[in-house]
Amino acid sequence: MASLPRPEFGKSYSSMRNLKWSSAEKAIARKAFDRALNQDLDAVIWQVKKMAGKIEQPSDLWDLEHYLTHRRKEIDREYDYRYSVLLTVFAGLIRKGRLREEDLHGLAEDKLGHIRQMATL
């Protein structure tokens, strides 16, 4: 059964959504985001080439299509560049090892604090 959000989380989420991003922070965030996304896409390309090299029958085509559809949906869910959710995206990418906190060097400490907090959940 789902539990109700803790009040302190709600306050944290609300304050996170209202953070202001400087031009420098936006550039840092975009670079880190793009790097992580490109790593994921490179992994998809590598896997597709591997799978395509093994296609011998029509059902193998549908396996490839299924893989691509599945990965596209995953990537679409994980990578959202709206500033209102970007800290959550970064925390998830850190948890999954696709991003390091060092990649976000230059973001304000309040933003890094939110990311650290969410990455440990």
Side-chain angles (χ1 to χ4, degrees), residues 13 16 20-21 36 43 46 50-51 59 66 74 78 84 86 109 114-115 119 121:
Y13 180 73
M16 183 178 64
K20 301 297 179 205
W21 292 77
W46 180 84
K50 182 179 169 185
M51 292 173 76
S59 65
H66 174 76
E74 279 184 341
E78 287 182 42
S84 61
L86 195 52
E109 189 55 41
H114 283 293
I115 293 167
L121 295 178

Side-chain angles (χ1 to χ4, degrees), residues 58-110:
S59 65
D60 296 333
L61 290 171
W62 310 135
D63 292 341
L64 178 59
E65 185 271 340
H66 174 76
Y67 170 77
L68 283 168
T69 300
H70 176 74
R71 287 299 292 140
R72 180 181 47 82
K73 288 178 181 180
E74 279 184 341
I75 289 170
D76 285 348
R77 270 192 309 272
E78 287 182 42
Y79 290 90
D80 184 345
Y81 197 78
R82 290 176 295 156
Y83 292 110
S84 61
V85 296
L86 195 52
L87 300 182
T88 305
V89 170
F90 286 156
L93 293 172
I94 288 172
R95 260 195 319 274
K96 293 177 181 178
R98 292 186 177 106
L99 200 60
R100 299 168 301 146
E101 188 175 330
E102 298 82 45
D103 297 326
L104 302 171
H105 179 71
L107 294 185
E109 189 55 41
D110 56 347

